[in-house]
Amino acid sequence: MSEPLVLRHPDADALVHAVAARFITALVDAQSNDRVAQVVLTGGRVAARVYAAVAESPARLAIDWRRVEFWWGDERFLPDGDPDRNETQARDALLSHVDVDPARVHPMAPDTGQGAEAAAAAYAKELAAAASTSTSTAGTSTSAAAGAGGDASPVFDVLMLGVGPDGHVASLFPGYPQLAVTDASAVAVHDSPKPPPTRVSLTLPVLDRAREVWFVVSGEDKAEAVGKALTGGDVPAARPKGQERTLWLLDESAAQQLG
Ligand SMILES: O=C(O)[C@H](O)[C@@H](O)[C@H](O)[C@H](O)COP(=O)(O)O
């Protein structure tokens, strides 16, 4: 597990474009090792700006988008196409603008009446299936990472996370039971303090399975959560760590409690 590296940016615009450049470079680097790049997207306003900046960057053409596997760290459990879904946001800002392989885009299921628990179980199976087919041979993704229980998943190259003012990441909220789940890769969340109330989220063991975990945070309303997370405070954002790197990518507003 890697210790956090904090990178500060003058303002939100600089942060968004620096993260977009880093995202593009990370995908190019992963593909230069003859691997399918595995990325986990997040929701939220900052993430949407990063995706749009990637879509606008001429450097995006350096990526073979058909050899990028897209996952989500969490999803708002809403009907398909709902503008508040993280999938809708990512498709509108980025995925619809580059030549992705639809078979390599793995959204969490929308609300079709089956319940969030079924959606979480289905995603866990999808992650496990991807883990079982991941090999180190050329042209496919990285070696799998089998979890202790039902939390197998591929090894992700980049896992992006936003952070809430309460220190939540993905849809893992302070004091919620999902933080303690270690025998499943995805869980349903009910009564979320951040609307909508029902969500699906990856669990902490899976978030830790990324080579790099990136916290992308902007705004003074996040400063307290950032300060707590980086000083061992009891917030969910203090927990995820990358296997190789853990980056806190902040604008000065979000970093103001770091001194
Ligand atoms: O579904 C969600 O809402 C996100 O996954 C959530 O974890 C988000 O990343 C943070 O709440 C930050 O959101 P903002 O960037 O909009 O503040």
Side-chain angles (χ1 to χ4, degrees):
M1 290 295 182
S2 56
E3 283 309 303
L5 172 64
V6 176
L7 299 175
R8 301 168 72 146
H9 304 73
D11 56 34
D13 205 46
L15 172 67
V16 160
H17 285 87
V19 174
R22 179 180 295 275
F23 185 77
I24 290 169
T25 302
L27 296 191
V28 170
D29 285 353
Q31 293 185 341
S32 67
N33 292 320
D34 200 19
R35 282 195 281 109
V36 172
Q38 299 274 355
V39 298
V40 181
L41 303 178
T42 189
R45 294 158 298 177
V46 181
R49 289 192 60 194
V50 170
Y51 305 151
V54 171
E56 292 160 6
S57 170
R60 74 188 184 280
L61 301 176
I63 297 167
D64 178 355
W65 289 96
R66 297 193 68 80
R67 293 179 62 245
V68 181
E69 203 101 31
F70 294 93
W71 304 90
W72 272 263
D74 74 326
E75 186 56 273
R76 294 106 178 262
F77 194 62
L78 297 165
D80 191 24
D82 189 296
D84 282 344
R85 272 179 60 82
N86 295 336
E87 173 199 3
T88 308
Q89 168 179 281
R91 289 190 186 279
D92 290 349
L94 175 58
L95 305 186
S96 303
H97 304 279
V98 291
D99 180 29
V100 301
D101 177 351
R104 286 184 162 153
V105 179
H106 306 279
M108 292 175 169
D111 182 0
T112 58
Q114 84 283 23
E117 280 73 8
Y123 210 64
K125 284 179 69 175
E126 194 168 356
L127 285 164
S132 64
T133 54
S134 308
T135 65
S136 57
T137 57
T140 60
S141 58
T142 55
S143 58
D151 69 348
S153 76
V155 175
F156 307 116
D157 291 288
V158 174
L159 185 143
M160 288 177 67
L161 291 170
V163 177
D166 60 358
H168 78 257
V169 288
S171 288
L172 300 176
F173 295 95
Y176 276 55
Q178 292 82 4
L179 277 168
V181 173
T182 57
D183 60 353
S185 56
V187 287
V189 178
H190 297 284
D191 304 319
S192 161
K194 177 178 182 181
T198 306
R199 292 159 168 261
V200 177
S201 183
L202 296 187
T203 54
L204 283 172
V206 180
L207 300 184
D208 282 347
R209 202 157 295 143
R211 285 190 168 86
E212 298 199 4
V213 170
W214 299 0
F215 297 91
V216 184
V217 197
S218 169
E220 64 180 338
D221 62 324
K222 311 296 180 67
E224 183 182 358
V226 170
K228 285 181 178 175
L230 286 169
T231 56
D234 184 19
V235 291
R239 304 282 295 278
K241 298 280 190 302
Q243 296 289 322
E244 296 172 11
R245 283 210 302 183
T246 305
L247 300 182
W248 281 80
L249 305 169
L250 310 173
D251 66 10
E252 282 302 334
S253 298
Q256 59 188 268
Q257 288 196 10
L258 301 182

